Amino acid sequence: MSVTLAKTAGFCFGVKRAVNMVYDEIGKGSVFTYGPIIHNEEVVADLKARGVDVIQTLEDERLVPGVSVVIRSHGISREEYETLERKGVRIVDATCPFVKKIHKIVEAQALEGRSIIIIGNDRHPEVEAIKGWCKSPVTVIETIDEADRFRAAESEKLCIVSQTTFNYNKFKDLVEIISKKGYDIRCLNTICNATEERQTEARQIAARADAMIVIGGRHSSNTQKLYEICKNECENTYYIQTLNDLDLAKVKSMSNVGITAGASTPNNIIEEVHKACLK
Ligand code: F3S
C-alpha cells in the first residue's frame, strides 16, 4: 500500500502567522480573538485552555482599554477596525498580508471610481471584511447564474477581485461571463497561491489514488473546496476532522491512498492520520 501525503497539506503562511501571533500574546494580560482564530475546534479549545477567549461581537463588555484583541487572518472591515481603536484595546492585527492587499486594492479602485465585484462567498468573513473596505458599490458573485444575471450601468467602471480561497477555474469562468458584457473592467486575480498550489497538488494526487482523505474543520470553506476537487477525481474521497472519523479498515484495503488537508488543519492531526495509514 502506498500513502502520498500532499506537501501543501495544512496551515498556509497566513494561518501559521495568525496562530503564532495569538500564542505570542499568551501571558500578556487578557487576550481575545475576534471570532475563532481558525476553523479548527481543537486549536480553539487549546487556546481557551490557555486563557484566550473568543469574542463574537464588538459589543462584548469585556472589551475594555488595555486588553488584547487579535484580528484573524480573514481580516475585518474598516468600521470594525475603527470601533476597536475607539475602545482603546490593543489591536493585534493578524490579517493575512494577502488579504490586506485586497483591502488596499478595493479602497484604491473605489477612489478611482470603480464599482467592486468580489468573486467569492458572500457569507464568508473574508468577503464580509473586504466589502467593508469598498467605498463604491459592491457586488459579490459566486455562481454562474449570478454572473449571468449581473448588470451594471453602461458608464460604470468595474474592478473584479477574488476571495483568496476561491477555486481558480471557477474564478476564470465567472470572469469570462462578466467580461463578455462589454463593461470597462479591471480584473485582479487575488486568489492566494497557497490555495492554488494546494488545490493543484490535491487534484494530481486524487487522480492517481484509490482513496483520498481530506482533513479539515467542518466549517472550513477551503477544505470543502478541496473535498469537491478530490471527489471529482476520486470516488472514494473521505472528509474527516480527525483520525476518529476515518474508517481505517476501508482505507487500508486500498493500494494507493492520498492525503491532503485544509489551510487550518494543524500538523499534529495530519501526522496522526498519515501514521495510522502507514501502520
Ligand atoms: Fe493568507 Fe493565503 Fe492563507 S491569503 S491566510 S496565505 S490561504
Side-chain angles (χ1 to χ4, degrees):
M1 177 196 184
S2 110
V3 181
T4 311
L5 171 63
K7 292 188 195 75
T8 52
F11 283 7
C12 60
F13 150 79
V15 169
K16 211 180 281 174
R17 176 175 171 271
V19 172
N20 287 341
M21 281 170 86
V22 184
Y23 278 98
D24 283 350
E25 284 304 302
I26 293 170
K28 297 184 191 166
S30 293
V31 185
F32 299 97
T33 63
Y34 183 22
I37 192 73
I38 57 172
H39 285 300
N40 188 287
E41 287 156 22
E42 309 215 350
V43 175
V44 174
D46 182 57
L47 284 170
K48 186 159 176 64
R50 291 163 198 260
V52 178
D53 261 334
V54 178
I55 51 151
Q56 303 291 356
T57 154
L58 297 185
E59 306 304 313
D60 196 302
E61 287 168 358
R62 292 170 294 176
L63 292 186
V64 292
V67 306
S68 299
V69 177
V70 186
I71 299 172
R72 53 194 182 168
S73 58
H74 297 318
I76 57 175
S77 69
R78 176 183 267 279
E79 203 183 321
E80 289 172 303
Y81 204 96
E82 286 169 359
T83 305
L84 284 173
E85 279 179 335
R86 267 200 310 279
K87 288 191 180 271
V89 302
R90 211 167 80 77
I91 302 174
V92 181
D93 190 353
T95 306
C96 176
F98 300 131
V99 176
K100 201 88 198 161
K101 192 174 128 200
I102 305 178
H103 297 172
K104 294 205 175 110
I105 290 172
V106 296
E107 235 188 346
Q109 293 295 315
L111 272 180
E112 282 185 26
R114 288 183 185 268
S115 301
I116 310 294
I117 296 179
I118 306 167
I119 304 289
N121 176 339
D122 203 4
R123 292 169 311 282
H124 192 282
E126 180 191 319
V127 173
E128 283 175 0
I130 296 170
K131 284 199 287 186
W133 294 85
C134 301
K135 287 203 189 101
S136 57
V138 53
T139 311
V140 179
I141 292 180
E142 188 181 16
T143 62
I144 302 257
D145 191 41
E146 284 163 1
D148 276 335
R149 279 189 280 127
F150 174 77
R151 296 277 176 279
E154 227 168 89
S155 57
E156 212 169 323
K157 290 181 181 168
L158 307 172
C159 167
I160 304 179
V161 293
S162 172
Q163 182 182 339
T164 55
T165 48
F166 206 76
N167 179 292
Y168 178 61
N169 290 327
K170 257 188 182 170
F171 172 77
K172 272 199 311 197
D173 291 347
L174 296 175
V175 168
E176 204 179 297
I177 294 172
I178 301 164
S179 300
K180 280 189 184 142
K181 298 177 191 275
Y183 301 114
D184 174 345
I185 295 175
R186 186 165 297 161
C187 178
L188 296 148
N189 172 5
T190 51
I191 294 176
C192 165
N193 277 344
T195 313
E196 242 173 271
E197 281 164 14
R198 192 181 297 104
Q199 289 176 350
T200 306
E201 194 189 14
R203 187 178 293 113
Q204 284 164 353
I205 294 175
R208 294 190 307 265
D210 309 311
M212 187 74 194
I213 303 165
V214 181
I215 318 165
R218 254 195 310 264
H219 306 295
S220 155
S221 72
N222 80 85
T223 311
Q224 286 163 11
K225 272 173 202 146
L226 268 185
Y227 173 75
E228 246 175 60
I229 288 168
C230 293
K231 182 82 180 167
N232 254 334
E233 301 292 335
C234 173
E235 186 48 36
N236 300 315
T237 296
Y238 307 108
Y239 191 152
I240 62 168
Q241 295 216 79
T242 66
L243 182 58
N244 294 338
D245 305 329
L246 187 64
D247 184 345
L248 260 182
K250 209 178 211 174
V251 169
K252 287 196 168 174
S253 66
M254 310 281 181
S255 52
N256 204 340
V257 176
I259 304 172
T260 189
S264 44
T265 309
N267 215 26
N268 60 327
I269 297 181
I270 303 170
E271 268 314 306
E272 202 182 9
V273 173
H274 188 201
K275 278 193 193 131
C277 291
L278 287 174
K279 256 189 215 162

PDB file of all heavy atoms in Angstrom, residues 171-204:
ATOM      1  N   PHE A 171     -13.249  30.848 -10.883  1.00  0.00           N
ATOM      2  CA  PHE A 171     -12.990  32.292 -10.980  1.00  0.00           C
ATOM      3  C   PHE A 171     -12.884  32.681 -12.456  1.00  0.00           C
ATOM      4  O   PHE A 171     -13.519  33.631 -12.920  1.00  0.00           O
ATOM      5  CB  PHE A 171     -11.698  32.638 -10.217  1.00  0.00           C
ATOM      6  CG  PHE A 171     -11.218  34.051 -10.392  1.00  0.00           C
ATOM      7  CD1 PHE A 171     -11.833  35.099  -9.702  1.00  0.00           C
ATOM      8  CD2 PHE A 171     -10.148  34.359 -11.220  1.00  0.00           C
ATOM      9  CE1 PHE A 171     -11.398  36.417  -9.844  1.00  0.00           C
ATOM     10  CE2 PHE A 171      -9.703  35.669 -11.370  1.00  0.00           C
ATOM     11  CZ  PHE A 171     -10.334  36.702 -10.682  1.00  0.00           C
ATOM     12  N   LYS A 172     -12.071  31.905 -13.209  1.00  0.00           N
ATOM     13  CA  LYS A 172     -11.880  32.204 -14.637  1.00  0.00           C
ATOM     14  C   LYS A 172     -13.202  32.168 -15.390  1.00  0.00           C
ATOM     15  O   LYS A 172     -13.497  33.037 -16.199  1.00  0.00           O
ATOM     16  CB  LYS A 172     -10.911  31.178 -15.266  1.00  0.00           C
ATOM     17  CG  LYS A 172      -9.457  31.597 -15.138  1.00  0.00           C
ATOM     18  CD  LYS A 172      -8.577  30.860 -16.141  1.00  0.00           C
ATOM     19  CE  LYS A 172      -8.808  29.368 -16.140  1.00  0.00           C
ATOM     20  NZ  LYS A 172      -7.791  28.561 -16.762  1.00  0.00           N
ATOM     21  N   ASP A 173     -14.025  31.144 -15.102  1.00  0.00           N
ATOM     22  CA  ASP A 173     -15.319  31.004 -15.782  1.00  0.00           C
ATOM     23  C   ASP A 173     -16.215  32.214 -15.495  1.00  0.00           C
ATOM     24  O   ASP A 173     -16.858  32.755 -16.398  1.00  0.00           O
ATOM     25  CB  ASP A 173     -16.057  29.740 -15.301  1.00  0.00           C
ATOM     26  CG  ASP A 173     -15.360  28.474 -15.772  1.00  0.00           C
ATOM     27  OD1 ASP A 173     -14.481  28.588 -16.650  1.00  0.00           O
ATOM     28  OD2 ASP A 173     -15.678  27.389 -15.243  1.00  0.00           O
ATOM     29  N   LEU A 174     -16.267  32.620 -14.221  1.00  0.00           N
ATOM     30  CA  LEU A 174     -17.154  33.729 -13.841  1.00  0.00           C
ATOM     31  C   LEU A 174     -16.672  35.036 -14.466  1.00  0.00           C
ATOM     32  O   LEU A 174     -17.476  35.828 -14.983  1.00  0.00           O
ATOM     33  CB  LEU A 174     -17.242  33.857 -12.315  1.00  0.00           C
ATOM     34  CG  LEU A 174     -17.871  32.652 -11.595  1.00  0.00           C
ATOM     35  CD1 LEU A 174     -17.798  32.821 -10.092  1.00  0.00           C
ATOM     36  CD2 LEU A 174     -19.323  32.460 -12.022  1.00  0.00           C
ATOM     37  N   VAL A 175     -15.349  35.243 -14.466  1.00  0.00           N
ATOM     38  CA  VAL A 175     -14.794  36.477 -15.040  1.00  0.00           C
ATOM     39  C   VAL A 175     -15.095  36.516 -16.549  1.00  0.00           C
ATOM     40  O   VAL A 175     -15.427  37.568 -17.107  1.00  0.00           O
ATOM     41  CB  VAL A 175     -13.271  36.579 -14.769  1.00  0.00           C
ATOM     42  CG1 VAL A 175     -12.635  37.684 -15.602  1.00  0.00           C
ATOM     43  CG2 VAL A 175     -13.020  36.826 -13.284  1.00  0.00           C
ATOM     44  N   GLU A 176     -14.994  35.351 -17.187  1.00  0.00           N
ATOM     45  CA  GLU A 176     -15.261  35.288 -18.625  1.00  0.00           C
ATOM     46  C   GLU A 176     -16.708  35.727 -18.919  1.00  0.00           C
ATOM     47  O   GLU A 176     -16.947  36.513 -19.842  1.00  0.00           O
ATOM     48  CB  GLU A 176     -15.034  33.860 -19.100  1.00  0.00           C
ATOM     49  CG  GLU A 176     -14.705  33.778 -20.592  1.00  0.00           C
ATOM     50  CD  GLU A 176     -14.464  32.338 -20.984  1.00  0.00           C
ATOM     51  OE1 GLU A 176     -13.506  31.736 -20.460  1.00  0.00           O
ATOM     52  OE2 GLU A 176     -15.268  31.824 -21.795  1.00  0.00           O
ATOM     53  N   ILE A 177     -17.635  35.241 -18.133  1.00  0.00           N
ATOM     54  CA  ILE A 177     -19.051  35.595 -18.335  1.00  0.00           C
ATOM     55  C   ILE A 177     -19.250  37.105 -18.168  1.00  0.00           C
ATOM     56  O   ILE A 177     -19.884  37.764 -18.997  1.00  0.00           O
ATOM     57  CB  ILE A 177     -19.958  34.837 -17.336  1.00  0.00           C
ATOM     58  CG1 ILE A 177     -19.905  33.341 -17.624  1.00  0.00           C
ATOM     59  CG2 ILE A 177     -21.409  35.335 -17.423  1.00  0.00           C
ATOM     60  CD1 ILE A 177     -20.597  32.487 -16.577  1.00  0.00           C
ATOM     61  N   ILE A 178     -18.653  37.656 -17.105  1.00  0.00           N
ATOM     62  CA  ILE A 178     -18.838  39.094 -16.830  1.00  0.00           C
ATOM     63  C   ILE A 178     -18.145  39.922 -17.915  1.00  0.00           C
ATOM     64  O   ILE A 178     -18.668  40.939 -18.374  1.00  0.00           O
ATOM     65  CB  ILE A 178     -18.305  39.456 -15.418  1.00  0.00           C
ATOM     66  CG1 ILE A 178     -19.041  38.634 -14.349  1.00  0.00           C
ATOM     67  CG2 ILE A 178     -18.478  40.946 -15.122  1.00  0.00           C
ATOM     68  CD1 ILE A 178     -18.355  38.611 -12.994  1.00  0.00           C
ATOM     69  N   SER A 179     -16.981  39.467 -18.368  1.00  0.00           N
ATOM     70  CA  SER A 179     -16.207  40.220 -19.373  1.00  0.00           C
ATOM     71  C   SER A 179     -16.960  40.362 -20.690  1.00  0.00           C
ATOM     72  O   SER A 179     -16.808  41.350 -21.401  1.00  0.00           O
ATOM     73  CB  SER A 179     -14.861  39.541 -19.648  1.00  0.00           C
ATOM     74  OG  SER A 179     -14.133  39.494 -18.459  1.00  0.00           O
ATOM     75  N   LYS A 180     -17.747  39.330 -21.012  1.00  0.00           N
ATOM     76  CA  LYS A 180     -18.481  39.340 -22.294  1.00  0.00           C
ATOM     77  C   LYS A 180     -19.544  40.428 -22.340  1.00  0.00           C
ATOM     78  O   LYS A 180     -20.071  40.741 -23.401  1.00  0.00           O
ATOM     79  CB  LYS A 180     -19.126  37.978 -22.535  1.00  0.00           C
ATOM     80  CG  LYS A 180     -18.135  36.967 -23.068  1.00  0.00           C
ATOM     81  CD  LYS A 180     -18.820  35.700 -23.498  1.00  0.00           C
ATOM     82  CE  LYS A 180     -17.784  34.670 -23.938  1.00  0.00           C
ATOM     83  NZ  LYS A 180     -18.150  33.333 -23.517  1.00  0.00           N
ATOM     84  N   LYS A 181     -19.858  41.014 -21.194  1.00  0.00           N
ATOM     85  CA  LYS A 181     -20.927  42.018 -21.153  1.00  0.00           C
ATOM     86  C   LYS A 181     -20.464  43.388 -21.630  1.00  0.00           C
ATOM     87  O   LYS A 181     -21.263  44.318 -21.720  1.00  0.00           O
ATOM     88  CB  LYS A 181     -21.510  42.110 -19.734  1.00  0.00           C
ATOM     89  CG  LYS A 181     -22.150  40.799 -19.288  1.00  0.00           C
ATOM     90  CD  LYS A 181     -22.651  40.882 -17.865  1.00  0.00           C
ATOM     91  CE  LYS A 181     -23.033  39.526 -17.331  1.00  0.00           C
ATOM     92  NZ  LYS A 181     -24.390  39.113 -17.651  1.00  0.00           N
ATOM     93  N   GLY A 182     -19.150  43.512 -21.878  1.00  0.00           N
ATOM     94  CA  GLY A 182     -18.643  44.723 -22.531  1.00  0.00           C
ATOM     95  C   GLY A 182     -18.390  45.920 -21.632  1.00  0.00           C
ATOM     96  O   GLY A 182     -18.241  47.033 -22.110  1.00  0.00           O
ATOM     97  N   TYR A 183     -18.300  45.716 -20.312  1.00  0.00           N
ATOM     98  CA  TYR A 183     -18.008  46.853 -19.420  1.00  0.00           C
ATOM     99  C   TYR A 183     -16.509  47.150 -19.415  1.00  0.00           C
ATOM    100  O   TYR A 183     -15.697  46.321 -19.835  1.00  0.00           O
ATOM    101  CB  TYR A 183     -18.457  46.535 -17.983  1.00  0.00           C
ATOM    102  CG  TYR A 183     -19.916  46.216 -17.836  1.00  0.00           C
ATOM    103  CD1 TYR A 183     -20.341  44.948 -17.464  1.00  0.00           C
ATOM    104  CD2 TYR A 183     -20.863  47.197 -18.055  1.00  0.00           C
ATOM    105  CE1 TYR A 183     -21.682  44.647 -17.319  1.00  0.00           C
ATOM    106  CE2 TYR A 183     -22.215  46.910 -17.916  1.00  0.00           C
ATOM    107  CZ  TYR A 183     -22.617  45.637 -17.547  1.00  0.00           C
ATOM    108  OH  TYR A 183     -23.936  45.349 -17.402  1.00  0.00           O
ATOM    109  N   ASP A 184     -16.180  48.325 -18.875  1.00  0.00           N
ATOM    110  CA  ASP A 184     -14.773  48.666 -18.642  1.00  0.00           C
ATOM    111  C   ASP A 184     -14.368  47.954 -17.342  1.00  0.00           C
ATOM    112  O   ASP A 184     -14.808  48.331 -16.258  1.00  0.00           O
ATOM    113  CB  ASP A 184     -14.661  50.196 -18.503  1.00  0.00           C
ATOM    114  CG  ASP A 184     -13.256  50.639 -18.106  1.00  0.00           C
ATOM    115  OD1 ASP A 184     -12.460  49.793 -17.663  1.00  0.00           O
ATOM    116  OD2 ASP A 184     -12.970  51.844 -18.228  1.00  0.00           O
ATOM    117  N   ILE A 185     -13.567  46.908 -17.491  1.00  0.00           N
ATOM    118  CA  ILE A 185     -13.273  46.066 -16.318  1.00  0.00           C
ATOM    119  C   ILE A 185     -11.778  46.007 -16.031  1.00  0.00           C
ATOM    120  O   ILE A 185     -10.972  45.796 -16.944  1.00  0.00           O
ATOM    121  CB  ILE A 185     -13.781  44.613 -16.543  1.00  0.00           C
ATOM    122  CG1 ILE A 185     -15.306  44.608 -16.658  1.00  0.00           C
ATOM    123  CG2 ILE A 185     -13.343  43.704 -15.404  1.00  0.00           C
ATOM    124  CD1 ILE A 185     -15.886  43.253 -17.002  1.00  0.00           C
ATOM    125  N   ARG A 186     -11.414  46.174 -14.789  1.00  0.00           N
ATOM    126  CA  ARG A 186     -10.051  45.866 -14.349  1.00  0.00           C
ATOM    127  C   ARG A 186     -10.164  44.616 -13.489  1.00  0.00           C
ATOM    128  O   ARG A 186     -10.865  44.617 -12.486  1.00  0.00           O
ATOM    129  CB  ARG A 186      -9.487  47.032 -13.545  1.00  0.00           C
ATOM    130  CG  ARG A 186      -8.025  46.835 -13.171  1.00  0.00           C
ATOM    131  CD  ARG A 186      -7.397  48.119 -12.703  1.00  0.00           C
ATOM    132  NE  ARG A 186      -7.376  49.141 -13.737  1.00  0.00           N
ATOM    133  CZ  ARG A 186      -7.215  50.436 -13.487  1.00  0.00           C
ATOM    134  NH1 ARG A 186      -7.082  50.860 -12.251  1.00  0.00           N
ATOM    135  NH2 ARG A 186      -7.190  51.312 -14.467  1.00  0.00           N
ATOM    136  N   CYS A 187      -9.500  43.552 -13.919  1.00  0.00           N
ATOM    137  CA  CYS A 187      -9.629  42.296 -13.185  1.00  0.00           C
ATOM    138  C   CYS A 187      -8.317  41.937 -12.493  1.00  0.00           C
ATOM    139  O   CYS A 187      -7.271  41.870 -13.145  1.00  0.00           O
ATOM    140  CB  CYS A 187     -10.047  41.186 -14.151  1.00  0.00           C
ATOM    141  SG  CYS A 187     -10.175  39.610 -13.328  1.00  0.00           S
ATOM    142  N   LEU A 188      -8.372  41.737 -11.210  1.00  0.00           N
ATOM    143  CA  LEU A 188      -7.168  41.370 -10.463  1.00  0.00           C
ATOM    144  C   LEU A 188      -7.382  40.015  -9.802  1.00  0.00           C
ATOM    145  O   LEU A 188      -8.299  39.867  -8.991  1.00  0.00           O
ATOM    146  CB  LEU A 188      -6.869  42.445  -9.410  1.00  0.00           C
ATOM    147  CG  LEU A 188      -6.540  43.810 -10.036  1.00  0.00           C
ATOM    148  CD1 LEU A 188      -6.989  44.938  -9.149  1.00  0.00           C
ATOM    149  CD2 LEU A 188      -5.069  43.909 -10.341  1.00  0.00           C
ATOM    150  N   ASN A 189      -6.588  39.064 -10.203  1.00  0.00           N
ATOM    151  CA  ASN A 189      -6.705  37.742  -9.602  1.00  0.00           C
ATOM    152  C   ASN A 189      -6.029  37.770  -8.232  1.00  0.00           C
ATOM    153  O   ASN A 189      -4.814  37.763  -8.141  1.00  0.00           O
ATOM    154  CB  ASN A 189      -6.051  36.708 -10.517  1.00  0.00           C
ATOM    155  CG  ASN A 189      -5.974  35.345  -9.864  1.00  0.00           C
ATOM    156  OD1 ASN A 189      -6.487  35.151  -8.759  1.00  0.00           O
ATOM    157  ND2 ASN A 189      -5.336  34.403 -10.532  1.00  0.00           N
ATOM    158  N   THR A 190      -6.824  37.811  -7.188  1.00  0.00           N
ATOM    159  CA  THR A 190      -6.260  37.885  -5.834  1.00  0.00           C
ATOM    160  C   THR A 190      -6.374  36.543  -5.103  1.00  0.00           C
ATOM    161  O   THR A 190      -6.346  36.498  -3.876  1.00  0.00           O
ATOM    162  CB  THR A 190      -6.955  39.011  -5.027  1.00  0.00           C
ATOM    163  OG1 THR A 190      -8.371  38.832  -5.133  1.00  0.00           O
ATOM    164  CG2 THR A 190      -6.579  40.384  -5.531  1.00  0.00           C
ATOM    165  N   ILE A 191      -6.510  35.480  -5.902  1.00  0.00           N
ATOM    166  CA  ILE A 191      -6.507  34.151  -5.275  1.00  0.00           C
ATOM    167  C   ILE A 191      -5.091  33.915  -4.756  1.00  0.00           C
ATOM    168  O   ILE A 191      -4.114  34.211  -5.437  1.00  0.00           O
ATOM    169  CB  ILE A 191      -6.897  33.051  -6.296  1.00  0.00           C
ATOM    170  CG1 ILE A 191      -8.353  33.245  -6.737  1.00  0.00           C
ATOM    171  CG2 ILE A 191      -6.699  31.670  -5.697  1.00  0.00           C
ATOM    172  CD1 ILE A 191      -8.813  32.281  -7.808  1.00  0.00           C
ATOM    173  N   CYS A 192      -5.026  33.409  -3.549  1.00  0.00           N
ATOM    174  CA  CYS A 192      -3.721  33.202  -2.927  1.00  0.00           C
ATOM    175  C   CYS A 192      -3.068  31.959  -3.519  1.00  0.00           C
ATOM    176  O   CYS A 192      -3.728  30.947  -3.733  1.00  0.00           O
ATOM    177  CB  CYS A 192      -3.948  33.031  -1.444  1.00  0.00           C
ATOM    178  SG  CYS A 192      -2.559  32.363  -0.591  1.00  0.00           S
ATOM    179  N   ASN A 193      -1.742  32.032  -3.766  1.00  0.00           N
ATOM    180  CA  ASN A 193      -1.018  30.898  -4.333  1.00  0.00           C
ATOM    181  C   ASN A 193      -1.098  29.653  -3.466  1.00  0.00           C
ATOM    182  O   ASN A 193      -1.129  28.550  -3.992  1.00  0.00           O
ATOM    183  CB  ASN A 193       0.464  31.247  -4.499  1.00  0.00           C
ATOM    184  CG  ASN A 193       0.685  32.010  -5.775  1.00  0.00           C
ATOM    185  OD1 ASN A 193      -0.183  32.020  -6.645  1.00  0.00           O
ATOM    186  ND2 ASN A 193       1.818  32.658  -5.877  1.00  0.00           N
ATOM    187  N   ALA A 194      -1.137  29.863  -2.159  1.00  0.00           N
ATOM    188  CA  ALA A 194      -1.183  28.707  -1.240  1.00  0.00           C
ATOM    189  C   ALA A 194      -2.385  27.838  -1.586  1.00  0.00           C
ATOM    190  O   ALA A 194      -2.299  26.614  -1.607  1.00  0.00           O
ATOM    191  CB  ALA A 194      -1.273  29.181   0.202  1.00  0.00           C
ATOM    192  N   THR A 195      -3.507  28.489  -1.885  1.00  0.00           N
ATOM    193  CA  THR A 195      -4.727  27.744  -2.197  1.00  0.00           C
ATOM    194  C   THR A 195      -4.591  27.043  -3.547  1.00  0.00           C
ATOM    195  O   THR A 195      -4.920  25.863  -3.680  1.00  0.00           O
ATOM    196  CB  THR A 195      -5.932  28.710  -2.242  1.00  0.00           C
ATOM    197  OG1 THR A 195      -5.872  29.533  -1.106  1.00  0.00           O
ATOM    198  CG2 THR A 195      -7.244  27.968  -2.276  1.00  0.00           C
ATOM    199  N   GLU A 196      -4.104  27.807  -4.530  1.00  0.00           N
ATOM    200  CA  GLU A 196      -3.946  27.239  -5.869  1.00  0.00           C
ATOM    201  C   GLU A 196      -3.034  26.016  -5.831  1.00  0.00           C
ATOM    202  O   GLU A 196      -3.344  24.967  -6.404  1.00  0.00           O
ATOM    203  CB  GLU A 196      -3.294  28.305  -6.769  1.00  0.00           C
ATOM    204  CG  GLU A 196      -4.142  28.731  -7.936  1.00  0.00           C
ATOM    205  CD  GLU A 196      -3.509  29.896  -8.657  1.00  0.00           C
ATOM    206  OE1 GLU A 196      -3.795  31.034  -8.262  1.00  0.00           O
ATOM    207  OE2 GLU A 196      -2.725  29.667  -9.597  1.00  0.00           O
ATOM    208  N   GLU A 197      -1.914  26.176  -5.141  1.00  0.00           N
ATOM    209  CA  GLU A 197      -0.946  25.070  -5.082  1.00  0.00           C
ATOM    210  C   GLU A 197      -1.539  23.865  -4.356  1.00  0.00           C
ATOM    211  O   GLU A 197      -1.370  22.733  -4.794  1.00  0.00           O
ATOM    212  CB  GLU A 197       0.327  25.533  -4.361  1.00  0.00           C
ATOM    213  CG  GLU A 197       1.214  26.359  -5.277  1.00  0.00           C
ATOM    214  CD  GLU A 197       2.265  27.148  -4.511  1.00  0.00           C
ATOM    215  OE1 GLU A 197       2.494  26.866  -3.316  1.00  0.00           O
ATOM    216  OE2 GLU A 197       2.840  28.076  -5.120  1.00  0.00           O
ATOM    217  N   ARG A 198      -2.267  24.143  -3.271  1.00  0.00           N
ATOM    218  CA  ARG A 198      -2.869  23.037  -2.510  1.00  0.00           C
ATOM    219  C   ARG A 198      -3.917  22.324  -3.364  1.00  0.00           C
ATOM    220  O   ARG A 198      -4.003  21.104  -3.396  1.00  0.00           O
ATOM    221  CB  ARG A 198      -3.486  23.556  -1.202  1.00  0.00           C
ATOM    222  CG  ARG A 198      -3.868  22.441  -0.257  1.00  0.00           C
ATOM    223  CD  ARG A 198      -4.511  22.916   1.031  1.00  0.00           C
ATOM    224  NE  ARG A 198      -3.644  23.738   1.842  1.00  0.00           N
ATOM    225  CZ  ARG A 198      -3.744  25.072   1.942  1.00  0.00           C
ATOM    226  NH1 ARG A 198      -4.684  25.706   1.303  1.00  0.00           N
ATOM    227  NH2 ARG A 198      -2.929  25.747   2.690  1.00  0.00           N
ATOM    228  N   GLN A 199      -4.701  23.116  -4.121  1.00  0.00           N
ATOM    229  CA  GLN A 199      -5.748  22.524  -4.961  1.00  0.00           C
ATOM    230  C   GLN A 199      -5.142  21.702  -6.100  1.00  0.00           C
ATOM    231  O   GLN A 199      -5.604  20.605  -6.400  1.00  0.00           O
ATOM    232  CB  GLN A 199      -6.647  23.628  -5.523  1.00  0.00           C
ATOM    233  CG  GLN A 199      -7.533  24.260  -4.455  1.00  0.00           C
ATOM    234  CD  GLN A 199      -8.374  25.425  -4.956  1.00  0.00           C
ATOM    235  OE1 GLN A 199      -8.177  25.904  -6.077  1.00  0.00           O
ATOM    236  NE2 GLN A 199      -9.283  25.894  -4.136  1.00  0.00           N
ATOM    237  N   THR A 200      -4.108  22.253  -6.739  1.00  0.00           N
ATOM    238  CA  THR A 200      -3.482  21.551  -7.864  1.00  0.00           C
ATOM    239  C   THR A 200      -2.870  20.235  -7.388  1.00  0.00           C
ATOM    240  O   THR A 200      -3.051  19.185  -8.017  1.00  0.00           O
ATOM    241  CB  THR A 200      -2.379  22.426  -8.502  1.00  0.00           C
ATOM    242  OG1 THR A 200      -2.968  23.665  -8.828  1.00  0.00           O
ATOM    243  CG2 THR A 200      -1.781  21.801  -9.740  1.00  0.00           C
ATOM    244  N   GLU A 201      -2.143  20.294  -6.282  1.00  0.00           N
ATOM    245  CA  GLU A 201      -1.500  19.079  -5.772  1.00  0.00           C
ATOM    246  C   GLU A 201      -2.558  18.044  -5.366  1.00  0.00           C
ATOM    247  O   GLU A 201      -2.408  16.861  -5.656  1.00  0.00           O
ATOM    248  CB  GLU A 201      -0.575  19.416  -4.591  1.00  0.00           C
ATOM    249  CG  GLU A 201       0.362  18.256  -4.266  1.00  0.00           C
ATOM    250  CD  GLU A 201       1.150  18.466  -2.968  1.00  0.00           C
ATOM    251  OE1 GLU A 201       0.803  19.362  -2.181  1.00  0.00           O
ATOM    252  OE2 GLU A 201       2.107  17.690  -2.757  1.00  0.00           O
ATOM    253  N   ALA A 202      -3.648  18.516  -4.722  1.00  0.00           N
ATOM    254  CA  ALA A 202      -4.713  17.593  -4.296  1.00  0.00           C
ATOM    255  C   ALA A 202      -5.325  16.900  -5.521  1.00  0.00           C
ATOM    256  O   ALA A 202      -5.557  15.688  -5.513  1.00  0.00           O
ATOM    257  CB  ALA A 202      -5.789  18.352  -3.530  1.00  0.00           C
ATOM    258  N   ARG A 203      -5.551  17.684  -6.580  1.00  0.00           N
ATOM    259  CA  ARG A 203      -6.152  17.119  -7.796  1.00  0.00           C
ATOM    260  C   ARG A 203      -5.245  16.035  -8.376  1.00  0.00           C
ATOM    261  O   ARG A 203      -5.698  14.954  -8.743  1.00  0.00           O
ATOM    262  CB  ARG A 203      -6.391  18.236  -8.825  1.00  0.00           C
ATOM    263  CG  ARG A 203      -7.168  17.774 -10.043  1.00  0.00           C
ATOM    264  CD  ARG A 203      -7.439  18.887 -11.040  1.00  0.00           C
ATOM    265  NE  ARG A 203      -8.340  19.900 -10.526  1.00  0.00           N
ATOM    266  CZ  ARG A 203      -7.993  21.167 -10.255  1.00  0.00           C
ATOM    267  NH1 ARG A 203      -6.758  21.574 -10.450  1.00  0.00           N
ATOM    268  NH2 ARG A 203      -8.874  22.027  -9.792  1.00  0.00           N
ATOM    269  N   GLN A 204      -3.929  16.340  -8.432  1.00  0.00           N
ATOM    270  CA  GLN A 204      -2.982  15.383  -9.010  1.00  0.00           C
ATOM    271  C   GLN A 204      -2.919  14.100  -8.189  1.00  0.00           C
ATOM    272  O   GLN A 204      -2.922  13.000  -8.744  1.00  0.00           O
ATOM    273  CB  GLN A 204      -1.582  16.019  -9.077  1.00  0.00           C
ATOM    274  CG  GLN A 204      -1.453  17.024 -10.221  1.00  0.00           C
ATOM    275  CD  GLN A 204      -0.245  17.934 -10.065  1.00  0.00           C
ATOM    276  OE1 GLN A 204       0.443  17.918  -9.047  1.00  0.00           O
ATOM    277  NE2 GLN A 204       0.013  18.750 -11.081  1.00  0.00           N
TER     278      GLN A 204
END
